[in-house]
Amino acid sequence: FQAEMEMKLYLGEDEGDNSLETNVLSSALCVETLVNMRTVAALCLENAQHCIFVDLIDKEAPGLLKASVKHGSMAGAGMFIQNWGIALMFWWGGYLIDLYPQTYSFKDFNIAMFALLFGMSGFASATQGAADREKAIIAVDRIFDILERKSAIDPLTD
């Protein structure tokens, strides 16, 4: 509706003395204003709601810095162990090729390395997406509570 009105305005089709059409358009504009009033009111409350949200997050997770350092250290330790494991596999493959050149070839080494690396990568990706069931249920309940609650700002009711 709004796009159609703007096109008529730009093309000059809204000019004229057709009073019936003007009354219909002005009443439609009033209805659209009332419908969008809720959105405008919500945007005006954005800063206050943001402050309330930040306060609640601070109350819910007071030791956020300590937890972040702990999680970051654990992720770094995991990468450290992973890279040392890969280095050990490369060293062991090179050692076997050097010690038994008739038995193992560079192609055999690459096949084994790719199989191990892709296998571990696939396993890591599969387990990384596994979430704690209880936490997932609580998160879904919170989302549906937010979606289904009745807003305190409703301009169309008295």
PDB file of all heavy atoms in Angstrom, residues 40-55:
ATOM      1  N   VAL A  40       6.707   2.058  16.441  1.00  0.00           N
ATOM      2  CA  VAL A  40       7.356   3.326  16.801  1.00  0.00           C
ATOM      3  C   VAL A  40       7.531   3.412  18.314  1.00  0.00           C
ATOM      4  O   VAL A  40       8.595   3.810  18.811  1.00  0.00           O
ATOM      5  CB  VAL A  40       6.541   4.519  16.250  1.00  0.00           C
ATOM      6  CG1 VAL A  40       7.090   5.825  16.765  1.00  0.00           C
ATOM      7  CG2 VAL A  40       6.552   4.497  14.739  1.00  0.00           C
ATOM      8  N   ALA A  41       6.508   3.013  19.067  1.00  0.00           N
ATOM      9  CA  ALA A  41       6.614   3.049  20.524  1.00  0.00           C
ATOM     10  C   ALA A  41       7.703   2.098  21.011  1.00  0.00           C
ATOM     11  O   ALA A  41       8.456   2.416  21.927  1.00  0.00           O
ATOM     12  CB  ALA A  41       5.269   2.693  21.155  1.00  0.00           C
ATOM     13  N   ALA A  42       7.803   0.932  20.390  1.00  0.00           N
ATOM     14  CA  ALA A  42       8.831  -0.020  20.782  1.00  0.00           C
ATOM     15  C   ALA A  42      10.224   0.527  20.491  1.00  0.00           C
ATOM     16  O   ALA A  42      11.157   0.319  21.263  1.00  0.00           O
ATOM     17  CB  ALA A  42       8.618  -1.351  20.057  1.00  0.00           C
ATOM     18  N   LEU A  43      10.380   1.239  19.371  1.00  0.00           N
ATOM     19  CA  LEU A  43      11.681   1.817  19.051  1.00  0.00           C
ATOM     20  C   LEU A  43      12.061   2.908  20.046  1.00  0.00           C
ATOM     21  O   LEU A  43      13.235   3.088  20.354  1.00  0.00           O
ATOM     22  CB  LEU A  43      11.673   2.371  17.624  1.00  0.00           C
ATOM     23  CG  LEU A  43      11.625   1.312  16.521  1.00  0.00           C
ATOM     24  CD1 LEU A  43      11.475   1.989  15.171  1.00  0.00           C
ATOM     25  CD2 LEU A  43      12.846   0.429  16.551  1.00  0.00           C
ATOM     26  N   CYS A  44      11.097   3.637  20.560  1.00  0.00           N
ATOM     27  CA  CYS A  44      11.382   4.676  21.554  1.00  0.00           C
ATOM     28  C   CYS A  44      11.834   4.071  22.880  1.00  0.00           C
ATOM     29  O   CYS A  44      12.558   4.696  23.630  1.00  0.00           O
ATOM     30  CB  CYS A  44      10.147   5.547  21.770  1.00  0.00           C
ATOM     31  SG  CYS A  44       9.725   6.544  20.328  1.00  0.00           S
ATOM     32  N   LEU A  45      11.409   2.859  23.174  1.00  0.00           N
ATOM     33  CA  LEU A  45      11.795   2.193  24.413  1.00  0.00           C
ATOM     34  C   LEU A  45      13.079   1.383  24.283  1.00  0.00           C
ATOM     35  O   LEU A  45      13.501   0.729  25.226  1.00  0.00           O
ATOM     36  CB  LEU A  45      10.669   1.259  24.866  1.00  0.00           C
ATOM     37  CG  LEU A  45       9.398   1.934  25.351  1.00  0.00           C
ATOM     38  CD1 LEU A  45       8.331   0.898  25.611  1.00  0.00           C
ATOM     39  CD2 LEU A  45       9.673   2.728  26.606  1.00  0.00           C
ATOM     40  N   GLU A  46      13.702   1.413  23.110  1.00  0.00           N
ATOM     41  CA  GLU A  46      14.853   0.552  22.854  1.00  0.00           C
ATOM     42  C   GLU A  46      15.980   0.789  23.851  1.00  0.00           C
ATOM     43  O   GLU A  46      16.551  -0.161  24.384  1.00  0.00           O
ATOM     44  CB  GLU A  46      15.346   0.769  21.428  1.00  0.00           C
ATOM     45  CG  GLU A  46      16.513  -0.106  21.053  1.00  0.00           C
ATOM     46  CD  GLU A  46      16.983   0.141  19.638  1.00  0.00           C
ATOM     47  OE1 GLU A  46      16.443   1.027  18.965  1.00  0.00           O
ATOM     48  OE2 GLU A  46      17.905  -0.555  19.223  1.00  0.00           O
ATOM     49  N   ASN A  47      16.318   2.026  24.139  1.00  0.00           N
ATOM     50  CA  ASN A  47      17.438   2.321  25.027  1.00  0.00           C
ATOM     51  C   ASN A  47      17.154   1.846  26.448  1.00  0.00           C
ATOM     52  O   ASN A  47      18.025   1.254  27.092  1.00  0.00           O
ATOM     53  CB  ASN A  47      17.737   3.823  25.005  1.00  0.00           C
ATOM     54  CG  ASN A  47      19.060   4.147  25.662  1.00  0.00           C
ATOM     55  OD1 ASN A  47      19.955   3.311  25.716  1.00  0.00           O
ATOM     56  ND2 ASN A  47      19.185   5.354  26.177  1.00  0.00           N
ATOM     57  N   ALA A  48      15.937   2.074  26.922  1.00  0.00           N
ATOM     58  CA  ALA A  48      15.587   1.629  28.277  1.00  0.00           C
ATOM     59  C   ALA A  48      15.614   0.107  28.370  1.00  0.00           C
ATOM     60  O   ALA A  48      16.132  -0.461  29.343  1.00  0.00           O
ATOM     61  CB  ALA A  48      14.210   2.161  28.658  1.00  0.00           C
ATOM     62  N   GLN A  49      15.072  -0.569  27.375  1.00  0.00           N
ATOM     63  CA  GLN A  49      15.073  -2.030  27.379  1.00  0.00           C
ATOM     64  C   GLN A  49      16.500  -2.570  27.286  1.00  0.00           C
ATOM     65  O   GLN A  49      16.817  -3.582  27.898  1.00  0.00           O
ATOM     66  CB  GLN A  49      14.232  -2.567  26.214  1.00  0.00           C
ATOM     67  CG  GLN A  49      12.757  -2.299  26.352  1.00  0.00           C
ATOM     68  CD  GLN A  49      12.149  -3.050  27.528  1.00  0.00           C
ATOM     69  OE1 GLN A  49      12.607  -4.112  27.905  1.00  0.00           O
ATOM     70  NE2 GLN A  49      11.117  -2.480  28.112  1.00  0.00           N
ATOM     71  N   HIS A  50      17.354  -1.880  26.534  1.00  0.00           N
ATOM     72  CA  HIS A  50      18.758  -2.306  26.423  1.00  0.00           C
ATOM     73  C   HIS A  50      19.446  -2.228  27.781  1.00  0.00           C
ATOM     74  O   HIS A  50      20.192  -3.135  28.163  1.00  0.00           O
ATOM     75  CB  HIS A  50      19.485  -1.441  25.397  1.00  0.00           C
ATOM     76  CG  HIS A  50      20.949  -1.720  25.303  1.00  0.00           C
ATOM     77  ND1 HIS A  50      21.449  -2.884  24.766  1.00  0.00           N
ATOM     78  CD2 HIS A  50      22.032  -1.002  25.708  1.00  0.00           C
ATOM     79  CE1 HIS A  50      22.764  -2.868  24.833  1.00  0.00           C
ATOM     80  NE2 HIS A  50      23.136  -1.741  25.403  1.00  0.00           N
ATOM     81  N   CYS A  51      19.206  -1.148  28.512  1.00  0.00           N
ATOM     82  CA  CYS A  51      19.818  -0.992  29.840  1.00  0.00           C
ATOM     83  C   CYS A  51      19.337  -2.095  30.787  1.00  0.00           C
ATOM     84  O   CYS A  51      20.127  -2.663  31.545  1.00  0.00           O
ATOM     85  CB  CYS A  51      19.504   0.380  30.415  1.00  0.00           C
ATOM     86  SG  CYS A  51      20.315   1.722  29.528  1.00  0.00           S
ATOM     87  N   ILE A  52      18.047  -2.406  30.753  1.00  0.00           N
ATOM     88  CA  ILE A  52      17.502  -3.473  31.597  1.00  0.00           C
ATOM     89  C   ILE A  52      18.135  -4.809  31.220  1.00  0.00           C
ATOM     90  O   ILE A  52      18.508  -5.608  32.079  1.00  0.00           O
ATOM     91  CB  ILE A  52      15.970  -3.527  31.464  1.00  0.00           C
ATOM     92  CG1 ILE A  52      15.346  -2.271  32.075  1.00  0.00           C
ATOM     93  CG2 ILE A  52      15.398  -4.778  32.113  1.00  0.00           C
ATOM     94  CD1 ILE A  52      13.873  -2.108  31.788  1.00  0.00           C
ATOM     95  N   PHE A  53      18.275  -5.056  29.914  1.00  0.00           N
ATOM     96  CA  PHE A  53      18.890  -6.302  29.430  1.00  0.00           C
ATOM     97  C   PHE A  53      20.327  -6.438  29.910  1.00  0.00           C
ATOM     98  O   PHE A  53      20.745  -7.496  30.383  1.00  0.00           O
ATOM     99  CB  PHE A  53      18.814  -6.345  27.902  1.00  0.00           C
ATOM    100  CG  PHE A  53      19.488  -7.529  27.291  1.00  0.00           C
ATOM    101  CD1 PHE A  53      18.892  -8.782  27.351  1.00  0.00           C
ATOM    102  CD2 PHE A  53      20.712  -7.410  26.667  1.00  0.00           C
ATOM    103  CE1 PHE A  53      19.508  -9.881  26.789  1.00  0.00           C
ATOM    104  CE2 PHE A  53      21.335  -8.507  26.106  1.00  0.00           C
ATOM    105  CZ  PHE A  53      20.724  -9.744  26.171  1.00  0.00           C
ATOM    106  N   VAL A  54      21.115  -5.363  29.812  1.00  0.00           N
ATOM    107  CA  VAL A  54      22.514  -5.396  30.250  1.00  0.00           C
ATOM    108  C   VAL A  54      22.596  -5.664  31.749  1.00  0.00           C
ATOM    109  O   VAL A  54      23.432  -6.462  32.206  1.00  0.00           O
ATOM    110  CB  VAL A  54      23.228  -4.079  29.866  1.00  0.00           C
ATOM    111  CG1 VAL A  54      24.577  -3.961  30.545  1.00  0.00           C
ATOM    112  CG2 VAL A  54      23.376  -3.983  28.363  1.00  0.00           C
ATOM    113  N   ASP A  55      21.715  -5.032  32.539  1.00  0.00           N
ATOM    114  CA  ASP A  55      21.719  -5.268  33.984  1.00  0.00           C
ATOM    115  C   ASP A  55      21.392  -6.721  34.311  1.00  0.00           C
ATOM    116  O   ASP A  55      22.022  -7.330  35.186  1.00  0.00           O
ATOM    117  CB  ASP A  55      20.717  -4.340  34.682  1.00  0.00           C
ATOM    118  CG  ASP A  55      21.163  -2.890  34.653  1.00  0.00           C
ATOM    119  OD1 ASP A  55      22.374  -2.644  34.441  1.00  0.00           O
ATOM    120  OD2 ASP A  55      20.304  -2.003  34.829  1.00  0.00           O
TER     121      ASP A  55
END
